[in-house]
Amino acid sequence: MTENPFFSESVLPYKLPPFDRIRDEDYVPAFERGMSDHLAEIDAIASNAEKPTFENTIVAMERAGQLLARVKAVFSNMKEAHSSDQIRDIDRAMAPRLAAHDDAIHMNPALFARVHSIYEERSDRGLEGEARRLVDHTHRVFVRAGALLSDEGKSRLRTLNTELASLLAAFSGNVLDERNASSVLVRDRSELAGLSDADVEQLASAARDAGQPEGYLIRISNTTGQEVLGSLENRALRKRIMEASLARGGRGGPFDNRALVLRIAEARAEAASLLGYESFAAYSVANQMAGTVGAIDGFLSQLAASSLAKAGREAADIQAAIDLERGGFALSAWDWSFYSERVRKARHSFDESLLTPYLELNRVLEGGLFFAAKRLYGITFRERNDLPVYHPDVRVFEVFEADGRPLALLLMDFYERSSKKGGAWMNAYVPQSFLLGTKAVVANHLNIPKPPAGQPTLLPFDQVITLFHEFGHALHGIFSHTTYPFLSGTNVPQDYAEFPSQIHEMWAVWPEVVKNYARHHRTGEPMPAEMLEKMLATRRFNMGFATTEYLRSALLDQAWHALRPGHLPGDVAEFEDTVFSRHGAGFPAVPPRYRSAYFAHAFSDDYAGRYYSYIWAEILVAESIEWFKRNGGFLRANGERLRASVLSRGDSVDPKLQFREFAGKDPEVGPLIRHRGLSQAGN
């Protein structure tokens, strides 16, 4: 029997996890020993007879639990990137035990007494800079985890946390299973009119993989809207796909999430009340840039009015297009994507599908992401085929500074599969830390449909944007330059974490970058200048729809988590309708990006009460785009300023100060309205 690979630190470059040695059977023993070792280390810190100091308490806690950190880093991503029945069983079993483990640490009175002593005396002890911020954050974590509660309160909170961990694990597993179960099988090829031959072959390949050799399988993505709806001419099939998407998790059967949604909301409301907050939303946002629920509600309401007005004008244009073709029906959710493309073609003489042959994945990667990163930051990338991965599709790149010094490892997991959750995300397997002597090992994950063997991976432009977005998250981890892992990389307020990712989306449409990566996959010819100009000119097209579908989910997230104990609704769908009606956002032709029963951000991820973060961070992005344009744009000096002020800091400096140092001012909402084209005059 070989030793459990988690029991010792990886000897691979950058301490990359030894994926080739890790089996599902290794996780539980590693979790159990990791928790046991961690508690022993914590007990030693808490019972230390010496006077509490920053080094023997706060720093000692940062060093503790390395085995547990290793297994959590791998397992937490495997359950999302390459899950299995066994992994989901382990998750359901371990989630409540891990919650109890965290409670045992944060509700340890002797340990908190030491932390509190250092916190109270932090000025007298001369703690400054990153050390001072670590003390403040550590103390806040303990207080928010219940350290100040009575014994009775602690006991109740432990019970709720254990239950919530089980509920969240169940919700997450159901979302993946239901997404797979909701795939739409088409038997007749003629129903797929409007799709390219390559798209049809990809659907046939997916059907064969699913054991349906005679059909065409349309997999449902995690969002409500489905990419295929923009091309399918068959309205009945469009309706079938949209209804399958909207019904997920709320149609009965083993993966129904409605009861879980209600209980999660109720348990969170009670936990927040125990901790002295009016609601879980108030608890969730208290340590964010936004600060208060009122600030979020005011911001969302202000933006909703503009976006709904814009979406209304867009809907009128689409209905006119339907009527012009004598469609004889009113615009529905399954019509929007298809007919909005008709409007775009008519108004701008532009068909977005014509871009795809110029957007081949490897070219976008090398000529887009890596090209922009080298120009802005001087870094280079070299693929490593000698390092183990958890799936054959995963690629590994070593990252180097401009002077050749090794900087980090970047894993890229591009393709969708049935074992992978939907959407796109970044994670860190190893955080950068001078204390631990570690460089970053980070990963990007997307869900690009995999083409048949031998065919190129051609991307819709939205996937190009997603690549740049997730790459921004990766750079936030790669460039981290902090001492303590607690403050490293993307460990920042949620509504700030989306700023470094979204700011990198701008380079996907920066003319010099687009010209470098947008080349025909067969001929190598650059995208025609006219096509490029039209693409850039229509980036704001359909922005009313895009903003409204996002805001409807953000409002839903806030509403669920603003509930007080004992004031839970009885029906999920009715609650959704009430929320949208209350905010004047009842617009059936624009469904929310996520409905509650498949809203993983709200009910199984770290975005609960914080889904507003994407649009909040976009305020910072809009200001930053204007700063870049005022200061010469795509320049190394500008990239280095962003790296020094923001990307390298983690949470070692207040994010508000980071942004002010970069942009020279505090953000305002005006640039966001202009950036999204949501003014009355916006196109």
Side-chain angles (χ1 to χ4, degrees):
M1 294 290 290
T2 58
E3 185 184 53
N4 190 305
F6 292 110
F7 287 172
S8 58
E9 192 173 70
S10 172
V11 298
L12 293 171
Y14 300 85
K15 297 181 173 57
L16 175 75
F19 293 112
D20 55 337
R21 295 174 49 217
I22 296 172
R23 305 165 301 161
D24 288 352
E25 293 77 16
D26 295 321
Y27 290 119
V28 171
F31 273 125
E32 290 179 337
R33 183 185 289 190
M35 287 188 288
S36 176
D37 289 355
H38 193 200
L39 287 180
E41 292 167 327
I42 292 297
D43 287 343
I45 296 168
S47 61
N48 190 342
E50 297 179 3
K51 181 181 178 179
T53 67
F54 177 71
E55 290 292 334
N56 71 18
T57 301
I58 305 297
V59 174
M61 290 168 59
E62 284 287 274
R63 294 184 183 277
Q66 292 306 304
L67 167 56
L68 183 58
R70 287 195 296 272
V71 64
K72 285 175 71 174
V74 174
F75 182 80
S76 63
N77 200 55
M78 287 307 99
K79 70 180 184 181
E80 297 180 335
H82 196 34
S83 188
S84 65
D85 290 342
Q86 186 171 358
I87 284 179
R88 287 197 287 277
D89 288 343
I90 294 170
D91 188 35
R92 284 188 285 267
M94 295 307 305
R97 296 178 62 182
L98 289 167
H101 174 79
D102 288 344
D103 285 342
I105 294 172
H106 295 131
M107 296 184 194
N108 181 323
L111 181 63
F112 179 65
R114 295 179 71 87
V115 171
H116 188 66
S117 171
I118 298 165
Y119 174 77
E120 290 285 285
E121 301 172 4
R122 61 197 186 283
S123 295
D124 296 338
R125 293 171 184 261
L127 294 172
E128 297 178 345
E130 193 175 342
R132 172 70 172 260
R133 193 156 178 85
L134 178 61
V135 170
D136 290 347
H137 277 18
T138 302
H139 186 267
R140 184 184 299 118
V141 166
F142 273 78
V143 172
R144 286 170 58 83
L148 295 177
L149 293 178
S150 66
D151 289 344
E152 181 181 1
K154 288 178 180 177
S155 177
R156 180 57 184 159
L157 186 58
R158 287 191 190 98
T159 299
L160 288 170
N161 287 342
T162 300
E163 181 189 6
L164 274 167
S166 295
L167 293 169
L168 299 177
F171 184 98
S172 179
N174 284 350
V175 169
L176 177 60
D177 288 335
E178 180 76 327
R179 185 168 64 89
N180 289 330
S182 299
S183 297
V184 174
L185 183 65
V186 177
R187 298 288 186 183
D188 187 346
R189 192 189 192 287
S190 66
E191 292 186 61
L192 302 176
L195 299 186
S196 68
D197 290 342
D199 288 338
V200 172
E201 178 52 34
Q202 189 275 323
L203 299 182
S205 177
R208 290 192 294 271
D209 290 345
Q212 299 285 347
E214 302 302 322
Y216 307 87
L217 192 68
I218 300 171
R219 297 190 185 278
I220 299 297
S221 64
N222 65 322
T223 56
T224 298
Q226 304 297 311
E227 184 180 315
V228 72
L229 295 178
S231 301
L232 280 173
E233 297 174 5
N234 187 308
R235 188 170 190 249
L237 180 56
R238 294 200 307 268
K239 180 180 180 181
R240 182 180 163 201
I241 293 167
M242 177 58 77
E243 289 180 341
S245 179
L246 286 166
R248 282 176 288 160
R251 60 192 179 112
F255 311 132
D256 195 302
N257 267 334
R258 288 173 294 183
L260 291 176
V261 166
L262 293 171
R263 182 55 195 152
I264 289 169
E266 186 174 31
R268 281 176 169 164
E270 184 182 350
S273 179
L274 278 172
L275 292 166
Y277 292 89
E278 289 188 357
S279 66
F280 186 83
Y283 168 84
S284 182
V285 77
N287 63 346
Q288 301 295 298
M289 285 189 76
T292 67
V293 170
I296 296 166
D297 287 346
F299 164 65
L300 292 179
S301 296
Q302 180 182 358
L303 199 56
S306 299
S307 67
L308 284 164
K310 182 74 182 296
R313 297 193 295 272
E314 292 169 355
D317 290 342
I318 292 172
Q319 187 63 59
I322 293 171
D323 295 343
L324 185 64
E325 295 185 5
R326 298 183 179 181
F329 56 84
L331 170 66
S332 293
W334 48 88
D335 301 314
W336 191 295
S337 292
F338 182 77
Y339 280 96
S340 67
E341 282 305 306
R342 297 287 184 97
V343 173
R344 189 202 310 249
K345 291 175 186 177
R347 180 174 299 168
H348 300 284
S349 300
F350 177 66
D351 182 352
E352 190 169 23
S353 67
L354 298 177
L355 298 175
T356 301
Y358 295 90
L359 303 175
E360 190 272 326
L361 174 60
N362 287 314
R363 182 73 199 184
V364 174
L365 183 67
E366 298 283 349
L369 273 69
F370 295 171
F371 167 75
K374 183 176 182 181
R375 175 68 64 87
L376 290 166
Y377 311 112
I379 60 175
T380 57
F381 299 79
R382 178 168 64 89
E383 189 157 12
R384 294 287 301 267
N385 296 309
D386 59 322
L387 297 175
V389 292
Y390 57 85
H391 188 279
D393 287 342
V394 178
R395 299 168 66 181
V396 183
F397 296 87
E398 188 169 10
V399 189
F400 298 91
E401 293 279 20
D403 61 7
R405 286 178 294 130
L407 178 62
L409 279 186
L410 171 63
L411 282 67
M412 300 289 248
D413 185 353
F414 295 117
Y415 295 113
E416 70 176 5
R417 50 183 173 268
S418 61
S419 63
K420 190 179 190 180
K421 79 169 188 177
W425 69 98
M426 169 267 187
N427 72 290
Y429 285 107
V430 181
Q432 177 277 331
S433 166
F434 294 124
L435 177 71
L436 303 179
T438 53
K439 298 180 186 296
V441 178
V442 302
N444 278 170
H445 311 265
L446 287 86
N447 267 278
I448 300 168
K450 190 172 184 180
Q455 297 297 312
T457 301
L458 303 180
L459 305 176
F461 197 73
D462 283 349
Q463 286 282 16
V464 175
I465 296 292
T466 301
L467 271 171
F468 277 83
H469 177 101
E470 297 305 329
F471 188 59
H473 279 308
L475 291 176
H476 200 186
I478 287 169
F479 286 145
S480 179
H481 196 76
T482 63
T483 300
Y484 306 108
F486 189 85
L487 304 175
S488 178
T490 57
N491 291 332
V492 298
Q494 205 84 57
D495 52 10
Y496 189 66
E498 294 303 328
F499 167 51
S501 58
Q502 290 185 18
I503 189 60
H504 283 86
E505 292 180 19
M506 71 181 288
W507 306 118
V509 297
W510 198 265
E512 188 175 352
V513 181
V514 179
K515 289 176 182 176
N516 197 62
Y517 72 75
R519 294 179 175 272
H520 198 281
H521 70 98
R522 288 200 185 96
T523 67
E525 291 294 313
M527 182 182 291
E530 181 183 4
M531 186 182 296
L532 175 59
E533 289 169 5
K534 287 183 177 180
M535 185 271 287
L536 296 175
T538 62
R539 287 306 298 157
R540 290 179 180 176
F541 181 79
N542 214 33
M543 193 57 76
F545 174 94
T547 308
T548 299
E549 68 154 2
Y550 166 80
L551 286 174
R552 294 189 80 195
S553 287
L555 292 168
L556 197 58
D557 171 53
Q558 286 294 301
W560 277 116
H561 294 111
L563 295 169
R564 311 286 180 86
H567 293 80
L568 270 292
D571 183 83
V572 171
E574 288 181 6
F575 179 75
E576 291 178 343
D577 291 341
T578 299
V579 170
F580 299 143
S581 176
R582 184 169 70 239
H583 288 277
F587 202 154
V590 185
R593 187 173 296 178
Y594 303 97
R595 293 189 68 187
S596 304
Y598 52 90
F599 199 172
H601 287 80
F603 295 105
S604 66
D605 288 349
D606 294 331
Y607 284 79
R610 302 174 184 167
Y611 190 63
Y612 75 90
S613 296
Y614 291 96
I615 200 76
W616 184 275
E618 199 172 332
I619 299 175
L620 310 182
V621 172
E623 287 274 18
S624 299
I625 290 173
E626 295 195 355
W627 182 92
F628 269 100
K629 289 179 178 178
R630 288 195 307 270
N631 289 277
F634 192 49
L635 299 176
R636 175 74 179 276
N638 291 342
E640 291 295 348
R641 180 184 176 103
L642 183 64
R643 177 176 179 175
S645 303
V646 176
L647 299 176
S648 65
R649 293 285 185 80
D651 202 13
S652 63
V653 174
D654 186 321
K656 292 179 181 178
L657 297 179
Q658 293 183 31
F659 183 80
R660 194 177 302 150
E661 180 181 329
F662 169 69
K665 64 186 293 289
D666 292 327
E668 299 174 358
V669 74
L672 172 62
I673 299 294
R674 293 193 295 272
H675 177 61
R676 284 194 164 240
L678 297 178
S679 63
Q680 182 66 34
N683 292 323

